[in-house]
Amino acid sequence: MQKRLARRASDVRTPAREPARAAAGGSRAPHAGVFAQAVRLQGGVPRRFGARLGRWVALLAALAWLTLTPALAQNSPTVTLNANVLRSGGTVTLDASGLKADTAFTVTLTAPDGSSDPNTVRSDGSGALHFEKTLEAPGTWTVHLSGPGIDAPLSVEVSQQPAGTPGNGTQPSAPSTPSQPSPSQPSPSQPTPSQPTPSQPSPLPPTPSQPAPSQPAPSQPQAGAPLDLSIEQGSLVARQGGQEAWRLDFPADSGQTAGVVQADGRVYLGHGNSLLVLDPANGSVQARYAVPAQVADVATSGNGVSVTVAFADGTRQSLEVGPDGIVGTVRFGSDPAIFGWLQHEAQVADPAKRLQQDPTNPWLYVAVAKQASDAQGATADYQGALNHAATFYERAQLARTLYAAGQTDLAKQAMDGALRDYVDRGYAAELLTDPQLRDAYGFPLPELEAAVGKGDFQAASFWAPWAYRMSTPAVPATQAALLDYSRALRADGQRSEASLWRARAHEGNGFRLGRALRRAALGLGHAGWYGVAALLVAMVFLHLTLIAKYWRPQSLALKQRKEGGRSPGRVPRLFAIRYYSFTEKLVLVLMFAAVLALASLAGWAHQGDRLPVAWRSGTLASVPARNAMSSVLRSGQVADFVQGYGAQVAGDSQAAAQAYRGAGDYAPALNNLGALENSDALYQKALDVARDLPEALFNLGRGTDPSRLHAAYAADVPLLAVPSETLLRSAVAGSFQDALGAAFTNPWAELIRVNPLAIPNWLWDAFVVLFLAWVAVTVVYLVAPRPRLARNAPRTAAYHLLALLIPGSGLSDELWGVLLLVPWAIFGIDTLLHYLPLGAPAGIPLATDYAVLAVIYALNIVSFLVELTSYRRRMAELRRSHPETAQAYGMRVSSEPSE
């Protein structure tokens, strides 16, 4: 008896050839205890009595075995693997029963090298669960099922498959109920089913360029009639023998359903910007691959399956589908709608039922988690959502939901995975300048702004570090949000934290003359047409004031011409400019020059504003972004640099090197070429051109990493110089220096290429002709002699009224009068835009307009009174010193003799 028991004990310790079977409730332990008790009794009592007692105990044990085993087997969770010895490339199948019904569980595959792959699988209504996975790497694998009431680690030995061996390497073994404990039996320190523990969140899997399939190859459809697939009103319908076998419907606003094909025993379906892999037997979704834009077609190709997508601008791209998904790195289009399709796809009446059919949509897990009756189940579902979020925008959007649900740790994992995937796909923070896309991606800036606005310091402290990683001087909105956060902290009394975030908000904002000039030019360009209109209005009112100022001397001159028998001309008042002082005419010439400069900057800024939307999406490597380069880029160093950067990020090294070399001694291009060719000499050459180029300094180990994203997720690769928005503008519209130069060397060509009024071109050309003629007349009269009698002439009452109502117009003979005249026109026009529908929005708050205008009028009144006092003294002197001239003007002459 003892020998037999010893053999059984050895069998317990060496179950390698038995199919692995785990009972989480530990149902084998009571039977082993009964036999051990029998052994102890037999050695401690008389042999005859011990023999009888042993027979009774054995009989009772047998009855207990027959009675309890079915019940225990029925009530305890059971996990079974199809085999515990496989060949490389074989498929391991895990089946479980007796689990909590309709609940998410985690199956974690741990490879021989220690890497883990967590997969979320949901039990059905009966508590059953099924999972399959192909194992490639030889060695010992661990298949660990965890979740509510279950914690079962199983091991599988994978051996190297000999070359040429057919089949998938699986060595099947029928499930059985061994008498020994299975490897997943809990130890005394492990919880039993009556003491469940919450499943621990699995670490976020490494971020691939494309997600791995959630399930392996689906089972084949049953033998019979071939499967007929058709897309009907956005739903995929499968028929066999004329009868509907299954269908897959999609909610509204989740994209269009387009393209379906069968290949390699699978069904490939395009919906929205996802390629779905379906089981032809029942239509369940086995894998989901994100594609750049709306799927237009799915077809078989020489290499298997290809999918064609259509971007919003009409561009199309064809991608190959490999065993692990889309071949190559996917960069998405710039239509914000596509980034919400996956969420809309999860908006169904019964998320749990839909999840049984489609376990690849993370938002279905979120919907089920919100309906969960216990926190443990909700956490498992949220973990399942995170495990199935495959792209940066899915994870970033999910981070918002997870944080709102109180799942802070999972939200951190989601944001970290989002930014890592963002970098891995070749995206850069400097290029994400479209606020609508930034919000559609789910990135943290709006959450930080909202938290600071509400005074929620807990939420702000969560989102601020992630916003900091995305911060860059090229996107001032992010740095502004961090600065607002620091101010809120200081107001709350958290001075040390406030200082830290203030310093972070100002990182990278060191003064650079070139960057400052470009920003100033861009600011003037954006306000350019306001400035042009303000200057023209100011010039018109200045002319009216000066005409009123010189009305009396001009009238006297015209009277003298008539008396002398000469014609005064048809429209003599239009030539009142002859009477202006040199300073007054110089002011007009300078204002014309300002009009030309502002008009050219406005045209330059407007042309730059029409940057392709794809260039604002975070990457220049997408198909629409690169296609746009061929049509909008100008020639020059900056354009070559932009073209080279797009090619380098897209993986086209040859085109990148050619473009960089075309840029010549342009420092950012030299740095990126150095990264392409791994050349320290090129980094140094870039520094010889621009000694403070931060990317080259970092690549040579002489400076810190200026990019927080690069430092966190790609510190081991060279840092590329990323074209900022201002450089992209220069690549499309040229530099602002070019625009200003053209305005004065060829004003006709520069002005006719812009038409801000959206009027017929011939009419705009006529306006340009009149304007240039006005400029020419003013320049000619600048050197024309001025009539002597205009130098100290009396002024009309109309002049005094205009000088009082139009600030600065009465001081035009002194250059500083322009400092009142031009601001008055700018803020006055903006005030009118608040009240009149002139087709353009006001750019300045109304309260600011009123305040500035009040200050301008106050200064003008003071200067007007000073000038009026001086004028009266001059007129009194005129009457005393030149009585004949005063009488000619109709002035009363003083009776006192002149000195």
Side-chain angles (χ1 to χ4, degrees):
M1 181 66 177
Q2 292 178 349
K3 293 181 179 180
R4 287 196 297 271
L5 290 173
R7 284 196 297 270
R8 292 185 183 178
S10 66
D11 292 340
V12 172
R13 292 191 297 269
T14 57
R17 300 185 181 275
E18 293 287 349
R21 184 177 179 88
S27 60
R28 277 71 173 175
H31 311 305
V34 169
F35 283 107
Q37 182 71 14
V39 173
R40 288 194 295 271
L41 287 173
Q42 205 171 30
V45 298
R47 182 175 300 178
R48 184 175 179 183
F49 176 76
R52 289 181 180 179
L53 182 59
R55 287 195 292 269
W56 281 104
V57 170
L59 180 60
L60 290 175
L63 290 175
W65 174 269
L66 295 175
T67 303
L68 297 178
T69 297
L72 291 173
Q74 181 178 359
N75 297 327
S76 299
T78 302
V79 185
T80 304
L81 296 182
N82 64 324
N84 56 10
V85 177
L86 295 175
R87 287 179 179 172
S88 177
T91 300
V92 63
T93 302
L94 181 147
D95 289 286
S97 60
L99 304 175
K100 185 176 179 180
D102 196 21
T103 303
F105 292 85
T106 301
V107 179
T108 304
L109 293 172
T110 304
D113 61 1
S115 60
S116 297
D117 177 19
N119 300 268
T120 301
V121 185
R122 197 169 190 85
S123 61
D124 59 20
S126 64
L129 176 147
H130 178 80
F131 174 80
E132 295 181 2
K133 192 72 172 182
T134 301
L135 306 183
E136 300 287 352
T140 301
W141 288 71
T142 300
V143 184
H144 190 170
L145 174 63
S146 59
I150 186 71
D151 187 14
L154 311 173
S155 61
V156 179
E157 190 69 28
V158 177
S159 60
Q160 182 68 46
Q161 180 174 343
T165 303
N168 61 5
T170 304
Q171 297 176 356
S173 176
S176 62
T177 308
S179 60
Q180 69 274 12
S182 70
S184 63
Q185 180 178 336
S187 64
S189 62
Q190 292 176 321
T192 62
S194 61
Q195 298 172 328
T197 59
S199 58
Q200 297 299 320
S202 303
L204 192 66
T207 303
S209 295
Q210 288 297 325
S214 297
Q215 298 289 347
S219 59
Q220 298 297 323
Q222 296 179 356
L227 196 64
D228 181 25
L229 300 170
S230 62
I231 298 175
E232 301 174 6
Q233 297 181 347
S235 300
L236 176 63
V237 181
R239 293 184 175 86
Q240 279 184 318
Q243 299 294 322
E244 182 176 312
W246 51 265
R247 72 165 49 226
L248 186 60
D249 301 316
F250 296 96
D253 299 325
S254 62
Q256 300 177 1
T257 306
V260 61
V261 69
Q262 291 190 69
D264 302 327
R266 301 182 178 191
V267 174
Y268 293 85
L269 173 69
H271 179 75
N273 69 316
S274 296
L275 178 66
L276 306 179
V277 183
L278 310 178
D279 186 338
N282 53 26
S284 62
V285 183
Q286 302 297 320
R288 178 187 295 268
Y289 306 118
V291 293
Q294 169 66 57
V295 176
D297 189 29
V298 181
T300 56
S301 64
N303 297 326
V305 175
S306 65
V307 55
T308 301
V309 299
F311 293 93
D313 62 355
T315 306
R316 294 201 167 206
Q317 179 186 8
S318 182
L319 305 103
E320 294 296 324
V321 182
D324 296 325
I326 305 300
V327 177
T329 303
V330 171
R331 282 104 181 183
F332 301 96
S334 53
D335 181 6
I338 69 174
F339 305 107
W341 283 346
L342 201 57
Q343 293 189 50
H344 289 298
E345 193 178 321
Q347 294 177 357
V348 294
D350 189 349
K353 181 179 179 181
R354 178 73 174 198
L355 191 57
Q356 293 292 332
Q357 187 178 21
D358 180 9
T360 66
N361 188 334
W363 297 102
L364 287 171
Y365 292 90
V366 171
V368 173
K370 292 180 179 179
Q371 298 176 356
S373 58
D374 61 287
Q376 182 180 352
T379 299
D381 287 321
Y382 282 128
Q383 178 69 58
L386 183 54
N387 290 343
H388 287 85
T391 63
F392 62 82
Y393 63 88
E394 294 171 39
R395 292 173 179 170
Q397 293 167 2
L398 190 59
R400 295 182 178 183
T401 300
L402 291 170
Y403 183 79
Q407 302 286 338
T408 306
D409 290 339
L410 292 181
K412 289 180 180 178
Q413 294 180 43
M415 261 327 302
D416 186 67
L419 297 186
R420 182 178 299 278
D421 185 62
Y422 185 80
V423 172
D424 288 347
R425 291 180 189 269
Y427 283 69
E430 294 87 344
L431 295 171
L432 186 52
T433 57
D434 188 312
Q436 191 175 7
L437 279 175
R438 190 163 52 232
D439 190 35
Y441 290 166
F443 281 158
L445 178 59
E447 296 296 313
L448 175 60
E449 292 173 335
V452 172
K454 294 184 297 185
D456 186 350
F457 290 101
Q458 182 178 0
S461 65
F462 176 83
W463 294 110
W466 303 111
Y468 170 66
R469 287 192 179 182
M470 290 290 293
S471 64
T472 167
V475 186
T478 307
Q479 293 185 307
L482 295 176
L483 191 58
D484 290 340
Y485 178 45
S486 72
R487 291 168 180 161
L489 288 170
R490 183 170 294 276
D492 192 53
Q494 303 181 47
R495 295 186 173 274
S496 60
E497 281 291 309
S499 299
L500 171 64
W501 285 106
R502 180 178 179 83
R504 289 180 172 179
H506 288 297
E507 283 183 11
N509 278 339
F511 178 77
R512 294 186 190 175
L513 180 60
R515 184 169 64 186
L517 290 176
R518 283 195 297 269
R519 286 183 176 178
L522 185 59
L524 289 173
H526 280 149
W529 294 117
Y530 281 104
V532 168
L535 287 172
L536 292 176
V537 168
M539 291 171 69
V540 170
F541 279 102
L542 179 58
H543 272 293
L544 290 176
T545 305
L546 293 178
I547 289 173
K549 179 179 181 180
Y550 296 106
W551 186 272
R552 294 181 71 175
Q554 188 183 21
S555 298
L556 180 59
L558 292 175
K559 179 182 176 181
Q560 292 175 349
R561 288 178 65 87
K562 281 185 179 182
E563 291 175 350
R566 291 178 296 174
S567 173
R570 293 182 178 272
V571 282
R573 298 295 182 182
L574 293 180
F575 295 94
I577 190 174
R578 291 184 59 243
Y579 295 82
Y580 299 175
S581 69
F582 177 81
T583 303
E584 290 167 340
K585 290 183 285 188
L586 179 61
V587 166
L588 288 171
V589 171
L590 293 177
M591 293 178 73
F592 276 125
V595 168
L596 278 174
L598 286 178
S600 65
L601 289 178
W604 170 76
H606 178 67
Q607 187 176 0
D609 287 340
R610 293 181 293 179
L611 287 177
V613 180
W615 289 8
R616 303 175 183 269
S617 65
T619 183
L620 298 184
S622 66
V623 170
R626 296 198 65 192
N627 287 345
M629 292 180 185
S630 60
S631 59
V632 301
L633 283 180
R634 297 162 60 107
S635 59
Q637 287 184 320
V638 177
D640 288 333
F641 163 63
V642 170
Q643 194 163 19
Y645 174 84
Q648 185 174 11
V649 177
D652 191 348
S653 300
Q654 184 176 358
Q658 182 177 357
Y660 287 146
R661 290 191 176 94
D665 289 338
Y666 188 62
L670 291 171
N671 174 83
N672 291 4
L673 185 60
L676 193 65
E677 299 181 354
N678 193 24
S679 170
D680 288 350
L682 287 171
Y683 296 144
Q684 184 58 53
K685 189 175 181 180
L687 290 176
D688 293 340
V689 177
R691 63 181 181 179
D692 59 346
L693 187 67
E695 293 84 3
L697 288 171
F698 171 77
N699 289 333
L700 286 175
R702 303 177 191 171
T704 59
D705 196 333
S707 169
R708 265 73 71 186
L709 278 182
H710 182 269
Y713 302 107
D716 56 340
V717 299
L719 178 62
L720 300 182
V722 181
S724 63
E725 184 178 4
T726 53
L727 283 181
L728 292 176
R729 288 175 174 276
S730 298
V732 171
S735 67
F736 72 92
Q737 296 96 327
D738 294 337
L740 289 175
F744 294 100
T745 57
N746 192 353
W748 167 257
E750 186 67 14
L751 290 176
I752 62 172
R753 72 182 182 87
V754 294
N755 186 353
L757 302 179
I759 57 178
N761 288 334
W762 65 267
L763 185 57
W764 174 252
D765 293 347
F767 283 151
V768 172
V769 170
L770 291 176
F771 172 77
L772 293 178
W774 189 11
V775 173
V777 169
T778 303
V779 172
V780 169
Y781 275 104
L782 180 65
V783 296
R786 181 189 188 196
R788 181 173 300 179
L789 55 84
R791 294 178 182 176
N792 193 19
R795 300 168 184 175
T796 63
Y799 164 76
H800 292 298
L801 179 63
L802 289 172
L804 187 62
L805 295 178
I806 304 172
S809 62
L811 305 171
S812 56
D813 56 347
E814 301 176 15
L815 288 176
W816 70 271
V818 178
L819 300 180
L820 293 178
L821 182 62
V822 174
W824 168 81
I826 293 175
F827 286 93
I829 288 178
D830 195 78
T831 302
L832 291 178
L833 292 177
H834 282 284
Y835 295 102
L836 301 178
L838 300 180
I844 305 171
L846 185 60
T848 303
D849 288 332
Y850 280 145
V852 173
L853 288 175
V855 172
I856 289 174
Y857 272 104
L859 292 174
N860 186 65
I861 290 173
V862 173
S863 61
F864 173 80
L865 294 175
V866 173
E867 173 64 19
L868 183 62
T869 302
S870 175
Y871 164 73
R872 291 193 175 191
R873 286 199 303 266
R874 293 196 305 271
M875 291 301 98
E877 180 65 23
L878 176 66
R879 285 192 295 268
R880 287 193 302 269
S881 304
H882 302 282
E884 303 86 359
T885 304
Q887 288 179 347
Y889 281 125
M891 301 174 63
R892 287 170 39 181
V893 180
S894 173
S895 58
E896 297 180 3
S898 60
E899 296 181 359

